[in-house]
Amino acid sequence: MQNRMMITGAGSGLGREIALRWAREGWRLALSDVSEPGLVETLKLVRAAGGDGFTQRCDVRDYSQLTAFAQACEEKLGGIDIIVNNAGVASGGFFSELSLEDWDWQIAINLMGVVKGCKAFLPLLEKSRGKIINIASMAALMQGPAMSNYNVAKAGVVALSESLLVELAQQEIGVHVVCPSFFQTNLLDSFRGPTPAMKAQVGKLLESSPISAADIADYIYQQVAQGQFMILPHEQGRMAWALKQKNPQLLYDEMTVMADKMRAKARQNLN
């Protein structure tokens, strides 16, 4: 039976909703997060939805914690069929404002956390001929202004996924990468940036989104079943990506205008 899934960042938001979507199909879930209270709540909801599993606190920056988590999956579930590298943090700020510490923090979690997750679980996936689902972002494809460290980390997740898609095909391991746009989530809880105004702007975008984390989880479920590699849950995101492929300069021009507007707004807030 292929019904064992591991999820990082499962204590809230999209990670929790992915757990619930697969739980409704009766899957057994290995849930990890840095928030233990969040994990307890997710497991309770998973059981109510018809699934089961276990929780283990795990910081994706620490490879030894991920290998211990993989070992726990082998001991408690007999292996793993799908891994979901979902743990992530938000950040923003113009390049000139971001410190090198901001860059290190962002890359360590959003990019290297995914690399380490794939590495730690690869032996189990080779046995089960399983699947990897990496959660990136539309930021990986569109590179909006005032979020260069986030853009770079998420673009790295897409590049890693493309590399694995090709390299792991022979072992019959499926690879998927998800690039959601803004959606209703608690991503701001982890937000790090040089200005409170930036956090407020991102908050408005998250709140105004018509799409929820549950909607995205459902879309991922359907697209993975269809074998789709690049999963773009937002219709606007799919349109923007098509536009960029056709006429990248047009998109760069739009982003430049957006950057100017953001700077003007930041100046207004200072005055």
Side-chain angles (χ1 to χ4, degrees), residues 4-24:
R4 304 159 300 181
M5 174 185 257
M6 171 287 265
I7 307 168
T8 64
S12 62
L14 183 57
R16 174 178 287 173
E17 294 300 339
I18 290 171
L20 293 178
R21 182 64 189 85
W22 265 264
R24 290 202 293 274

Side-chain angles (χ1 to χ4, degrees), residues 30-222:
L31 308 166
S32 80
D33 201 290
V34 288
S35 162
E36 293 192 67
L39 284 175
V40 170
E41 181 65 19
T42 300
L43 185 57
K44 199 165 79 178
L45 293 167
V46 156
R47 286 178 174 151
D52 200 5
F54 73 95
T55 66
Q56 188 158 320
R57 190 188 181 279
C58 180
D59 185 334
V60 296
R61 289 173 291 188
D62 184 344
Y63 185 61
S64 67
Q65 290 185 32
L66 280 159
T67 54
F69 187 35
Q71 198 177 339
C73 288
E74 190 157 32
E75 287 165 8
K76 295 178 183 186
L77 304 178
I80 211 80
D81 301 299
I82 298 182
I83 68 165
V84 184
N85 290 302
N86 165 73
V89 289
S91 63
F94 283 102
F95 182 74
S96 57
E97 302 164 329
L98 292 169
S99 68
L100 290 178
E101 287 74 21
D102 291 332
W103 276 89
D104 288 342
W105 176 75
Q106 180 59 235
I107 299 287
I109 299 169
N110 281 9
L111 175 54
M112 289 311 297
V114 178
V115 171
K116 289 171 184 175
C118 291
K119 192 86 177 156
F121 279 83
L122 186 58
L124 293 184
L125 291 170
E126 285 172 339
K127 284 180 195 164
S128 66
R129 294 181 178 161
K131 295 185 193 336
I132 294 169
I133 303 174
N134 291 331
I135 308 298
S137 164
M138 278 309 293
L141 307 176
M142 310 313 289
Q143 289 85 42
M147 47 200 287
S148 56
N149 58 346
Y150 186 79
N151 293 341
V152 168
K154 292 296 191 176
V157 172
V158 171
L160 170 69
S161 304
E162 288 174 333
S163 304
L164 295 177
L165 174 73
V166 174
E167 287 188 27
L168 301 179
Q170 202 174 9
Q171 284 113 296
E172 296 176 56
I173 296 172
V175 180
H176 309 268
V177 64
V178 185
C179 296
S181 308
F182 289 106
F183 61 96
Q184 295 152 23
T185 180
N186 64 335
L187 197 59
L188 272 198
D189 294 351
S190 68
F191 186 91
R192 186 187 286 195
T195 63
M198 180 67 64
K199 185 170 180 172
Q201 278 180 307
V202 174
K204 277 181 195 161
L205 287 166
L206 294 174
E207 282 166 24
S208 65
S209 171
I211 192 167
S212 69
D215 297 330
I216 290 173
D218 190 53
Y219 189 81
I220 294 168
Y221 183 86
Q222 292 164 24

Side-chain angles (χ1 to χ4, degrees), residues 221-255:
Y221 183 86
Q222 292 164 24
Q223 294 289 296
V224 167
Q226 289 170 26
Q228 182 68 36
F229 165 65
M230 187 175 281
I231 299 172
L232 309 178
H234 292 71
E235 193 183 350
Q236 273 185 308
R238 294 192 289 273
M239 286 160 60
W241 178 228
L243 169 71
K244 184 177 180 181
Q245 288 173 297
K246 199 173 170 184
N247 189 346
Q249 190 58 51
L250 188 64
L251 194 88
Y252 300 146
D253 292 344
E254 272 188 42
M255 291 292 187

